[in-house]
Structures are given as C-alpha cells and as structure tokens.
Amino acid sequence: MPKKKITKAVYLKWYEDMLLWRKFEDKCSAMYIQQKIRGFLHLYNGQEAVLAGSLFAMNKGDKMITAYRNHVQPIGLGEDPRKIMAEMFGKKTGTSNGKGGSMHMFSKEHHFYGGHGIVGGQIPLGAGLAFGDKYQGKDHVTLCYMGDGAVRQGAFHETLNLAMLWKLPVVFVIENNGYAMGTSVARTANHEDIWKLGLGYEMPCGPVDGMDPVKVYESMQEAVDRAREGGGPTLLEVRTYRYKGHSMSDAQHYRTKDEVAQFQAKDPILIVENVIKDKKYATKKELEEIDQRVKDLVNECVKFAEESDFPDPEDLFKNIYTQEDYPFITNN
Ligand SMILES: Cc1ncc(C[n+]2csc(CCOP(=O)(O)OP(=O)(O)O)c2C)c(N)n1
Ligand SMILES: [Mg+2]
C-alpha cells in the first residue's frame, strides 16, 4: 500500500492525542502521590510518538499487545479514557472492573490484549494472536510491543523463530527507551543495535527514530503491509526515551538531568506542534482550545473514577475459571 499522506488533520490529531496521553499520565502521577492510585505505576511520557505513528499505520481490527506501560494504548485504540482512569483507581467501572489495575489494561472491543507484568510474557502471546488470525484466514496484523529489557528472555527468541518459520502476521516492536529499570542497554550487551537480533532469524529488521511519529509511521506501514500480504513478521527497534522514572519510586541515579533534557529538546509533541505552527495548520487560539479540551477531559476522567464504586466483595469470585469436572481433585 502506498504511504498515507500526513495531512493537516493527521498532525492535529497527533497533537491532541499525544497531549491527552501526556496529560492523562501526569494526572495519574498526581493521583498516585495522593494515594488514589496504588501499587505500581509505569508512565509512558516521552514515548508517545511510538504509539501515534503506529496507530496511523493500523487498520480497524488489527491487534495490539504490550507490557505494563499500557495506559494510553487502549485510549489511542478508542477505549473510553474515563474507564482507564477508573481501572487505575480500582473501581468497578474500570475496563477490568477494578480488578486489573495499572499494569493490566485490556479492551477486547478495541483489540487491545493487555497489559502484562511479566517482562517478555506478552511476546509469545502476541505471536499467538497473529497465529489465530492466520489460522482463521483473517487479514489482521498484530503489533507486539516490548521493552529493551525483554529481548534477552528466552521467550523472545523462541517466538521470533516460530513467527518467522510460520510467517505470522505480526510486527515485533522493541521500544528501546535506553533502560530496563536502572540498567542501561550499554551495560547488558556487547552492542547496542538491538534490531540486529532479527538477523539470526532472517527476519526483516531495523532501527527507527522513535521521537518522530512520521518516522515511526513510515517503518510501521512497511512492516504492517508485509505482514498483511503474507510476508511474515518484522522486528523494529524504535529508539525512544522515558522522561519519568521506571515506576513511581525511582531516584534515577543511573542517568543525568542533562541526558533527560537532551531528549526533551526533541519531544514528539513539540516536533508536531512546530510543524503545525510552521505550516499554519492552526492558530494560537485553536491550539489553546485543544489544550483546554484535553485538560477538561482529563479532569472528567478523575471525576468519573472518584465517583465510581469499588467492586463488591462478592465480585472477588466472578470471572474465575473453574472446571466442575476436573478429574484430579475430589472432595473425599
Ligand atoms: C520475568 C520478569 N523479570 C523481572 C521483572 C522485574 N522487572 C519489571 S520491569 C523490568 C525492566 C524491563 O525493562 P524494559 O523491558 O526495558 O521495559 P521499560 O520498563 O523500559 O518499558 C524488570 C526487570 C519482571 N516483571 N518480570
Ligand atoms: Mg526499557
């Protein structure tokens, strides 16, 4: 498929979407400090261009699966952000009825398959989703995301091997944000070109600038087209950066403020805003209106989450898998 044109409407959508994701997560951080959100909280701030560029390459019905930095992906796919905030608050109105929490977003309706806390756990599952589509003769593609820290897991290599053997319609996306918790990529391997791990499987692979949604889109469109046309998987190493700590309690001794500032200078929201201003796609007033709309929506999410109820005690026993005729447990 020829590359889609990146029009004024696309830039304006990218701007509003990425701003929403950024502000939504800033609000999550504030709510965490107030102890309204508990447990772990891993923020995506800085990595938004990866999602924005990817979504533009996807067709309706294409699937997405990722690790625990997973709050904004379902929103991008069309899920109601109020339900995502409610899930984070542990409320009944959340996407998993308040029983999943921050690391386990899920939205079958919008083809988002989690939300996985075990590093690398989602990689074979992503290939499985793609296998299902291929088996059923559907022309959907699965985008399977992981961090740089996941690629040394055995499951990653086993999955790449089988996905390539069976030419599964899947794109493996390594969001290389430079660190796995406090450990840099440079400290864990003798080279930093993670994309080269695809070469051993003869899988099409390459590095991508993850701070620019245009660059992400272009690589993703090529990979998605290949998968849809029966050409099998692609491995993309998307080079990005997370501005916040790994989770909420992270003193960040492993990096300098200068390093963070260097990446913030090429912030994806800023890049897109500059194009909008240069090309006069929106006036200052129109941009302010977008900012206000985003702010209002985020506040509405918090109001919805706060006003929702916690699950009832008996909800603990719902959605639990039971097999009544399981032969190996008897009551006597
Ligand atoms: C199998 C497993 N080992 C260890 C952990 C603890 N752990 C949680 S996140 C993480 C770092 C992963 O980093 P990366 O894959 O780069 O993702 P990022 O957090 O940078 O998005 C580790 C080691 C875990 N959750 N699962
Ligand atoms: Mg990482």
Side-chain angles (χ1 to χ4, degrees):
M1 192 167 101
K3 299 243 164 43
K4 291 178 220 164
K5 252 190 104 182
I6 303 172
T7 59
K8 165 182 164 179
V10 175
Y11 273 105
L12 289 173
K13 178 166 170 47
W14 277 348
Y15 179 74
E16 184 157 351
D17 281 354
M18 292 198 291
L19 197 66
L20 172 64
W21 305 335
R22 177 80 52 90
K23 297 292 171 203
F24 183 89
E25 293 225 306
D26 284 344
K27 186 61 91 177
C28 292
S29 169
M31 293 297 105
Y32 189 91
I33 290 163
Q34 290 182 31
Q35 298 192 338
K36 288 181 178 164
I37 297 175
R38 288 165 179 265
F40 290 102
L41 185 70
H42 310 87
L43 303 176
Y44 199 61
N45 287 22
Q47 303 187 203
E48 293 91 347
V50 187
L51 180 59
S54 300
L55 287 169
F56 191 45
M58 291 171 78
N59 283 359
K60 186 104 195 97
D62 286 348
K63 300 177 166 71
M64 197 180 269
I65 185 166
T66 187
Y68 41 79
R69 226 173 270 292
N70 73 138
H71 315 135
V72 295
Q73 290 85 346
I75 299 175
L77 285 165
E79 184 54 274
D80 183 345
R82 295 176 307 166
K83 288 192 193 168
I84 301 292
M85 189 63 86
E87 187 58 42
M88 224 106 61
F89 274 58
K91 298 293 182 79
K92 218 169 164 166
T93 50
T95 46
S96 301
N97 305 121
K99 294 197 278 183
S102 152
M103 293 203 282
H104 303 107
M105 296 301 161
F106 206 93
S107 175
K108 199 175 163 206
E109 189 192 343
H110 297 284
H111 314 287
F112 183 74
Y113 290 83
H116 297 268
I118 301 299
V119 170
Q122 77 281 14
I123 306 171
L125 299 179
L129 290 168
F131 182 89
D133 278 331
K134 184 164 178 159
Y135 190 72
Q136 294 175 58
K138 299 197 174 135
D139 75 341
H140 301 316
V141 175
T142 297
L143 275 63
C144 177
Y145 294 81
M146 68 206 78
D148 45 278
V151 301
R152 308 295 162 187
Q153 290 277 23
F156 170 79
H157 296 273
E158 295 169 42
T159 303
L160 257 60
N161 182 52
L162 284 181
M164 198 58 202
L165 177 68
W166 293 333
K167 301 286 178 290
L168 298 182
V170 55
V171 185
F172 297 106
V173 188
I174 303 160
E175 292 190 71
N176 179 1
N177 57 14
Y179 298 92
M181 301 183 89
T183 307
S184 69
V185 173
R187 284 185 65 207
T188 42
N190 75 330
H191 72 80
E192 293 180 50
D193 291 323
I194 301 177
W195 62 270
K196 287 182 180 165
L197 294 177
L199 297 176
Y201 303 95
E202 298 190 352
M203 188 181 289
C205 52
V208 182
D209 173 359
M211 300 307 279
D212 183 349
V214 177
K215 298 276 166 40
V216 175
Y217 162 69
E218 287 172 353
S219 303
M220 195 61 74
Q221 185 71 67
E222 203 182 305
V224 162
D225 287 350
R226 181 182 299 115
R228 215 182 301 284
E229 287 155 12
T234 302
L235 176 72
L236 298 176
E237 180 201 341
V238 183
R239 292 175 174 167
T240 179
Y241 201 77
R242 72 163 150 74
Y243 298 157
K244 304 280 177 169
H246 168 73
S247 184
M248 287 300 284
S249 52
D250 177 355
Q252 303 184 51
H253 293 312
Y254 50 86
R255 64 180 182 183
T256 61
K257 288 204 169 90
D258 271 0
E259 184 184 294
V260 181
Q262 267 175 37
F263 281 92
Q264 280 172 330
K266 44 182 181 176
D267 183 69
I269 301 178
L270 201 65
I271 291 182
V272 166
E273 189 181 343
N274 285 340
V275 174
I276 291 172
K277 283 179 177 162
D278 286 351
K279 300 208 171 185
K280 300 200 176 10
Y281 284 162
T283 60
K284 194 166 169 272
K285 187 165 165 280
E286 282 163 340
L287 285 177
E288 281 167 9
E289 278 165 14
I290 295 177
D291 294 1
Q292 191 58 48
R293 205 156 51 228
V294 162
K295 225 173 167 183
D296 291 347
L297 178 54
V298 171
N299 287 334
E300 222 180 277
C301 292
V302 171
K303 187 166 182 283
F304 177 78
E306 279 185 332
E307 288 173 356
S308 296
D309 292 327
F310 282 110
D312 299 316
E314 56 270 25
D315 288 346
L316 266 179
F317 302 100
K318 288 185 188 153
N319 309 115
I320 306 251
Y321 179 76
T322 53
Q323 186 183 340
E324 301 292 342
D325 60 351
Y326 188 66
F328 305 110
I329 298 177
T330 55
N331 289 328
N332 45 36

